mmCIF file of all heavy atoms in Angstrom:
data_model
loop_
_atom_site.group_PDB
_atom_site.id
_atom_site.type_symbol
_atom_site.label_atom_id
_atom_site.label_comp_id
_atom_site.label_asym_id
_atom_site.label_seq_id
_atom_site.Cartn_x
_atom_site.Cartn_y
_atom_site.Cartn_z
ATOM 1 N N GLN A 242 -8.558 -14.194 -17.571
ATOM 2 C CA GLN A 242 -7.649 -14.550 -18.658
ATOM 3 C C GLN A 242 -7.025 -13.309 -19.295
ATOM 4 O O GLN A 242 -6.736 -13.266 -20.491
ATOM 5 C CB GLN A 242 -8.332 -15.398 -19.734
ATOM 6 C CG GLN A 242 -8.712 -16.805 -19.283
ATOM 7 C CD GLN A 242 -9.991 -16.833 -18.483
ATOM 8 O OE1 GLN A 242 -11.008 -16.283 -18.918
ATOM 9 N NE2 GLN A 242 -9.961 -17.469 -17.326
ATOM 10 N N ARG A 243 -6.820 -12.289 -18.482
ATOM 11 C CA ARG A 243 -6.102 -11.082 -18.893
ATOM 12 C C ARG A 243 -4.896 -10.918 -17.985
ATOM 13 O O ARG A 243 -4.915 -11.336 -16.824
ATOM 14 C CB ARG A 243 -6.982 -9.833 -18.771
ATOM 15 C CG ARG A 243 -7.797 -9.456 -20.010
ATOM 16 C CD ARG A 243 -8.663 -10.532 -20.476
ATOM 17 N NE ARG A 243 -9.508 -10.149 -21.614
ATOM 18 C CZ ARG A 243 -10.282 -11.022 -22.222
ATOM 19 N NH1 ARG A 243 -10.326 -12.294 -21.816
ATOM 20 N NH2 ARG A 243 -11.028 -10.639 -23.250
ATOM 21 N N HIS A 244 -3.829 -10.309 -18.531
ATOM 22 C CA HIS A 244 -2.597 -10.162 -17.764
ATOM 23 C C HIS A 244 -2.015 -8.779 -18.003
ATOM 24 O O HIS A 244 -2.119 -8.218 -19.102
ATOM 25 C CB HIS A 244 -1.573 -11.227 -18.181
ATOM 26 C CG HIS A 244 -2.151 -12.602 -18.258
ATOM 27 N ND1 HIS A 244 -2.615 -13.143 -19.451
ATOM 28 C CD2 HIS A 244 -2.392 -13.537 -17.303
ATOM 29 C CE1 HIS A 244 -3.096 -14.348 -19.227
ATOM 30 N NE2 HIS A 244 -2.974 -14.606 -17.933
ATOM 31 N N ILE A 245 -1.390 -8.239 -16.992
ATOM 32 C CA ILE A 245 -0.701 -6.964 -17.140
ATOM 33 C C ILE A 245 0.588 -7.197 -17.923
ATOM 34 O O ILE A 245 1.289 -8.198 -17.696
ATOM 35 C CB ILE A 245 -0.395 -6.348 -15.763
ATOM 36 C CG1 ILE A 245 -1.703 -6.136 -14.981
ATOM 37 C CG2 ILE A 245 0.346 -5.021 -15.913
ATOM 38 C CD1 ILE A 245 -1.490 -5.680 -13.564
ATOM 39 N N LEU A 246 0.883 -6.301 -18.844
ATOM 40 C CA LEU A 246 2.113 -6.439 -19.617
ATOM 41 C C LEU A 246 3.310 -6.540 -18.667
ATOM 42 O O LEU A 246 3.438 -5.754 -17.726
ATOM 43 C CB LEU A 246 2.297 -5.239 -20.547
ATOM 44 C CG LEU A 246 1.206 -4.997 -21.607
ATOM 45 C CD1 LEU A 246 1.602 -3.837 -22.518
ATOM 46 C CD2 LEU A 246 0.948 -6.254 -22.426
ATOM 47 N N GLY A 247 4.160 -7.510 -18.908
ATOM 48 C CA GLY A 247 5.338 -7.723 -18.071
ATOM 49 C C GLY A 247 5.136 -8.639 -16.889
ATOM 50 O O GLY A 247 6.104 -9.018 -16.215
ATOM 51 N N ASP A 248 3.894 -9.038 -16.621
ATOM 52 C CA ASP A 248 3.612 -9.848 -15.431
ATOM 53 C C ASP A 248 3.736 -11.336 -15.751
ATOM 54 O O ASP A 248 2.743 -12.073 -15.838
ATOM 55 C CB ASP A 248 2.219 -9.533 -14.905
ATOM 56 C CG ASP A 248 1.962 -10.114 -13.519
ATOM 57 O OD1 ASP A 248 2.900 -10.713 -12.947
ATOM 58 O OD2 ASP A 248 0.835 -9.976 -13.019
ATOM 59 N N VAL A 249 4.966 -11.802 -15.900
ATOM 60 C CA VAL A 249 5.210 -13.195 -16.273
ATOM 61 C C VAL A 249 4.767 -14.160 -15.173
ATOM 62 O O VAL A 249 4.404 -15.306 -15.455
ATOM 63 C CB VAL A 249 6.694 -13.420 -16.616
ATOM 64 C CG1 VAL A 249 7.081 -12.659 -17.870
ATOM 65 C CG2 VAL A 249 7.598 -12.996 -15.460
ATOM 66 N N LEU A 250 4.767 -13.714 -13.923
ATOM 67 C CA LEU A 250 4.359 -14.584 -12.822
ATOM 68 C C LEU A 250 2.908 -15.022 -12.983
ATOM 69 O O LEU A 250 2.545 -16.157 -12.653
ATOM 70 C CB LEU A 250 4.552 -13.872 -11.480
ATOM 71 C CG LEU A 250 4.197 -14.675 -10.219
ATOM 72 C CD1 LEU A 250 5.083 -15.916 -10.098
ATOM 73 C CD2 LEU A 250 4.318 -13.803 -8.971
ATOM 74 N N TYR A 251 2.076 -14.128 -13.512
ATOM 75 C CA TYR A 251 0.654 -14.439 -13.644
ATOM 76 C C TYR A 251 0.209 -14.672 -15.081
ATOM 77 O O TYR A 251 -0.982 -14.592 -15.375
ATOM 78 C CB TYR A 251 -0.177 -13.334 -12.981
ATOM 79 C CG TYR A 251 -0.111 -13.407 -11.472
ATOM 80 C CD1 TYR A 251 0.809 -12.654 -10.756
ATOM 81 C CD2 TYR A 251 -0.937 -14.275 -10.770
ATOM 82 C CE1 TYR A 251 0.889 -12.751 -9.371
ATOM 83 C CE2 TYR A 251 -0.866 -14.381 -9.384
ATOM 84 C CZ TYR A 251 0.048 -13.619 -8.692
ATOM 85 O OH TYR A 251 0.137 -13.730 -7.325
ATOM 86 N N GLY A 252 1.158 -14.962 -15.977
ATOM 87 C CA GLY A 252 0.747 -15.462 -17.276
ATOM 88 C C GLY A 252 1.068 -14.633 -18.500
ATOM 89 O O GLY A 252 0.747 -15.037 -19.617
ATOM 90 N N PHE A 253 1.710 -13.464 -18.349
ATOM 91 C CA PHE A 253 2.077 -12.681 -19.533
ATOM 92 C C PHE A 253 3.131 -13.435 -20.335
ATOM 93 O O PHE A 253 4.118 -13.914 -19.782
ATOM 94 C CB PHE A 253 2.627 -11.308 -19.113
ATOM 95 C CG PHE A 253 3.187 -10.506 -20.253
ATOM 96 C CD1 PHE A 253 2.350 -10.006 -21.241
ATOM 97 C CD2 PHE A 253 4.547 -10.260 -20.353
ATOM 98 C CE1 PHE A 253 2.858 -9.266 -22.299
ATOM 99 C CE2 PHE A 253 5.065 -9.518 -21.403
ATOM 100 C CZ PHE A 253 4.215 -9.023 -22.385
ATOM 101 N N LYS A 254 2.937 -13.526 -21.659
ATOM 102 C CA LYS A 254 3.834 -14.299 -22.503
ATOM 103 C C LYS A 254 4.447 -13.449 -23.619
ATOM 104 O O LYS A 254 4.909 -13.975 -24.634
ATOM 105 C CB LYS A 254 3.086 -15.485 -23.113
ATOM 106 C CG LYS A 254 2.523 -16.451 -22.072
ATOM 107 C CD LYS A 254 1.872 -17.654 -22.706
ATOM 108 C CE LYS A 254 1.215 -18.551 -21.668
ATOM 109 N NZ LYS A 254 2.120 -19.008 -20.603
ATOM 110 N N GLY A 255 4.462 -12.140 -23.450
ATOM 111 C CA GLY A 255 4.988 -11.252 -24.483
ATOM 112 C C GLY A 255 6.492 -11.081 -24.401
ATOM 113 O O GLY A 255 7.201 -11.864 -23.764
ATOM 114 N N ASN A 256 6.974 -10.021 -25.024
ATOM 115 C CA ASN A 256 8.407 -9.747 -25.149
ATOM 116 C C ASN A 256 8.937 -9.103 -23.873
ATOM 117 O O ASN A 256 8.784 -7.903 -23.653
ATOM 118 C CB ASN A 256 8.649 -8.836 -26.353
ATOM 119 C CG ASN A 256 10.136 -8.708 -26.680
ATOM 120 O OD1 ASN A 256 10.990 -8.969 -25.833
ATOM 121 N ND2 ASN A 256 10.441 -8.327 -27.906
ATOM 122 N N THR A 257 9.588 -9.900 -23.045
ATOM 123 C CA THR A 257 10.116 -9.367 -21.792
ATOM 124 C C THR A 257 11.444 -8.648 -21.978
ATOM 125 O O THR A 257 11.949 -8.036 -21.037
ATOM 126 C CB THR A 257 10.290 -10.497 -20.755
ATOM 127 O OG1 THR A 257 11.100 -11.535 -21.323
ATOM 128 C CG2 THR A 257 8.947 -11.077 -20.359
ATOM 129 N N ASP A 258 12.028 -8.724 -23.176
ATOM 130 C CA ASP A 258 13.234 -7.941 -23.452
ATOM 131 C C ASP A 258 12.897 -6.456 -23.551
ATOM 132 O O ASP A 258 13.702 -5.603 -23.199
ATOM 133 C CB ASP A 258 13.898 -8.406 -24.756
ATOM 134 C CG ASP A 258 14.513 -9.783 -24.630
ATOM 135 O OD1 ASP A 258 14.867 -10.158 -23.492
ATOM 136 O OD2 ASP A 258 14.617 -10.490 -25.655
ATOM 137 N N LYS A 259 11.704 -6.159 -24.038
ATOM 138 C CA LYS A 259 11.276 -4.767 -24.176
ATOM 139 C C LYS A 259 10.425 -4.308 -22.993
ATOM 140 O O LYS A 259 10.459 -3.140 -22.619
ATOM 141 C CB LYS A 259 10.489 -4.599 -25.480
ATOM 142 C CG LYS A 259 11.333 -4.781 -26.738
ATOM 143 C CD LYS A 259 10.496 -4.530 -27.989
ATOM 144 C CE LYS A 259 11.350 -4.668 -29.251
ATOM 145 N NZ LYS A 259 10.552 -4.417 -30.480
ATOM 146 N N ILE A 260 9.675 -5.215 -22.428
ATOM 147 C CA ILE A 260 8.821 -4.885 -21.276
ATOM 148 C C ILE A 260 9.452 -5.536 -20.052
ATOM 149 O O ILE A 260 9.329 -6.736 -19.838
ATOM 150 C CB ILE A 260 7.385 -5.379 -21.495
ATOM 151 C CG1 ILE A 260 6.810 -4.751 -22.762
ATOM 152 C CG2 ILE A 260 6.516 -5.057 -20.291
ATOM 153 C CD1 ILE A 260 5.461 -5.301 -23.170
ATOM 154 N N LYS A 261 10.142 -4.745 -19.267
ATOM 155 C CA LYS A 261 11.017 -5.301 -18.234
ATOM 156 C C LYS A 261 10.406 -5.312 -16.837
ATOM 157 O O LYS A 261 11.050 -5.718 -15.887
ATOM 158 C CB LYS A 261 12.344 -4.517 -18.214
ATOM 159 C CG LYS A 261 13.109 -4.602 -19.534
ATOM 160 C CD LYS A 261 14.431 -3.873 -19.454
ATOM 161 C CE LYS A 261 15.191 -3.942 -20.772
ATOM 162 N NZ LYS A 261 15.517 -5.328 -21.149
ATOM 163 N N ARG A 262 9.152 -4.856 -16.716
ATOM 164 C CA ARG A 262 8.506 -4.894 -15.398
ATOM 165 C C ARG A 262 7.005 -4.903 -15.601
ATOM 166 O O ARG A 262 6.485 -4.752 -16.700
ATOM 167 C CB ARG A 262 8.954 -3.719 -14.545
ATOM 168 C CG ARG A 262 8.590 -2.335 -15.080
ATOM 169 C CD ARG A 262 7.396 -1.736 -14.359
ATOM 170 N NE ARG A 262 7.188 -0.339 -14.648
ATOM 171 C CZ ARG A 262 6.249 0.406 -14.071
ATOM 172 N NH1 ARG A 262 5.432 -0.120 -13.200
ATOM 173 N NH2 ARG A 262 6.108 1.679 -14.402
#
Side-chain angles (χ1 to χ4, degrees):
Q242 291 80 51
R243 270 56 176 175
H244 313 95
I245 301 174
L246 299 185
D248 192 3
V249 294
L250 181 62
Y251 286 95
F253 173 68
K254 299 184 185 304
N256 190 340
T257 54
D258 290 334
K259 293 183 178 180
I260 302 173
K261 299 183 181 298
R262 63 102 168 184

